[in-house]
């Protein structure tokens, strides 16, 4: 079935650790996105990629890194530089025109 | 800049109507509406393009007033399944560079 798969669903990070969230899509979409969601804040754009081997910073890119080596994959690394990483992370994809279809999300908690 | 949604929350009885507004201080190229259930991914409802068009999805419709830089989502004869948080996402016309979302409107439908 076509869709967007995020893993893991739940992740716990210790202080000072880097963690990577996986996002894979088989919808043949060119564009992929990472959003962060905090209670009462809506969704905020971290990074986006319109084509393979190219990506752009969104509104809150500090403390995060991404790669886009394959069209299907857009992993997000939350680095130790991100001081408040506890949040719900959403990966999305779409064609041009900005309609975004989201995966099921990943919950990241700092312990 | 984040679009402003109003109201922040609405409580309705099943069968009642609701209107959710989304406005922007900057020009809107298009507006996208999503619904999110708690702990789940946002689900795309519809896109409104320039031209003041109105679209419908079951008993949910929306309008887009380009001059006023605002969009409204109309839910008629609400059903229990309509409960959730509704987000509008604005497209600034930069191609597939992501949407800027409002903070959301919480809709609770009571039997």
């Amino acid at each position: 079935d076509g869709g967007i798969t995020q893993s893991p669903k739940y992740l716990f990070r210790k202080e000072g650790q880097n963690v990577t969230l996986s996002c894979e899509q088989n919808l043949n979409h060119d564009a992929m996105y990472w959003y962060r969601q905090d209670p009462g804040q809506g969704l905020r754009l971290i990074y986006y990629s319109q084509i393979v081997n190219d990506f752009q910073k969104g509104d809150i890119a500090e403390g995060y890194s991404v790669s886009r080596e394959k069209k299907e994959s857009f992993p997000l690394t939350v680095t130790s530089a991100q001081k408040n990483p506890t949040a719900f992370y959403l990966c999305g994809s779409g064609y041009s025109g900005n309609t975004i279809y989201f995966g099921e999300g990943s919950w990241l908690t700092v312990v | 800049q984040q679009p402003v949604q109003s109201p922040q929350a609405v409580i309705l009885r099943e069968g009642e109507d609701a209107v959710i507004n989304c406005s922007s201080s900057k020009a809107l190229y298009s507006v996208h509406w999503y619904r999110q259930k708690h702990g789940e991914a946002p689900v795309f409802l519809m896109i409104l393009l320039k031209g003041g068009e109105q679209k419908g999805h079951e008993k949910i419709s929306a309008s887009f007033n380009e001059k006023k830089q605002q969009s409204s989502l109309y839910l008629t004869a609400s059903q229990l399944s309509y409960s959730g948080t509704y987000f509008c996402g604005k497209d600034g016309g930069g191609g597939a560079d992501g949407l800027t979302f409002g903070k959301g409107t919480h809709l609770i439908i009571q039997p």
Side-chain angles (χ1 to χ4, degrees):
Chain A
D1 286 352
I4 302 166
T5 302
Q6 289 187 239
S7 63
K9 179 72 174 177
Y10 301 96
L11 186 61
F12 297 91
R13 191 194 94 168
K14 292 183 179 179
E15 296 278 353
Q17 273 186 342
N18 293 352
V19 293
T20 297
L21 306 179
S22 170
C23 179
E24 303 278 334
Q25 56 98 1
N26 59 5
L27 299 168
N28 199 35
H29 287 161
D30 293 314
M32 296 189 74
Y33 309 86
W34 275 106
Y35 281 87
R36 168 179 172 146
Q37 187 173 29
D38 297 279
Q41 294 297 318
L43 288 77
R44 293 182 291 169
L45 183 62
I46 305 172
Y47 269 98
Y48 65 96
S49 169
Q50 296 175 331
I51 56 172
V52 175
N53 292 322
D54 187 52
F55 48 83
Q56 306 296 328
K57 292 182 179 180
D59 299 319
I60 56 165
E62 186 175 351
Y64 300 97
S65 66
V66 294
S67 63
R68 186 88 185 275
E69 297 176 0
K70 298 186 301 182
K71 186 175 184 177
E72 302 80 18
S73 179
F74 192 42
L76 174 75
T77 297
V78 185
T79 74
S80 57
Q82 171 50 241
K83 297 306 178 189
N84 185 24
T86 296
F88 187 46
Y89 290 87
L90 286 159
C91 176
S93 69
Y95 295 114
S96 63
N98 268 331
T99 295
I100 301 173
Y101 300 91
F102 289 99
E104 293 191 349
S106 294
W107 293 91
L108 175 62
T109 304
V110 174
V111 296
Chain B
Q1 196 162 5
Q2 198 172 27
V4 177
Q5 288 187 233
S6 63
Q8 288 186 331
V10 183
I11 301 175
L12 297 175
R13 293 282 183 192
E14 198 173 5
E16 293 182 335
D17 302 339
V19 179
I20 299 171
N21 299 303
C22 174
S23 63
S24 174
S25 58
K26 294 195 173 181
L28 291 172
Y29 184 77
S30 65
V31 177
H32 303 236
W33 285 97
Y34 290 79
R35 177 173 62 211
Q36 185 180 32
K37 305 279 187 179
H38 182 70
E40 300 179 6
V43 173
F44 171 71
L45 294 176
M46 66 188 78
I47 177 175
L48 283 298
L49 302 174
K50 280 184 175 181
E53 66 174 302
Q54 189 152 350
K55 288 190 130 182
H57 177 77
E58 298 177 345
K59 292 182 181 177
I60 301 174
S61 62
S63 63
F64 179 25
N65 188 318
E66 181 186 340
K67 274 190 177 179
K68 293 185 178 180
Q69 296 172 180
Q70 67 183 33
S71 176
S72 295
L73 187 71
Y74 307 94
L75 299 97
T76 58
S78 57
Q79 306 169 12
L80 294 175
S81 62
Y82 288 178
S83 292
T85 302
Y86 289 79
F87 292 97
C88 67
K90 76 166 194 176
D91 175 359
D97 59 352
L99 297 171
T100 302
F101 288 92
K103 292 188 176 183
T105 295
H106 302 284
L107 179 63
I108 299 172
I109 310 295
Q110 296 177 335

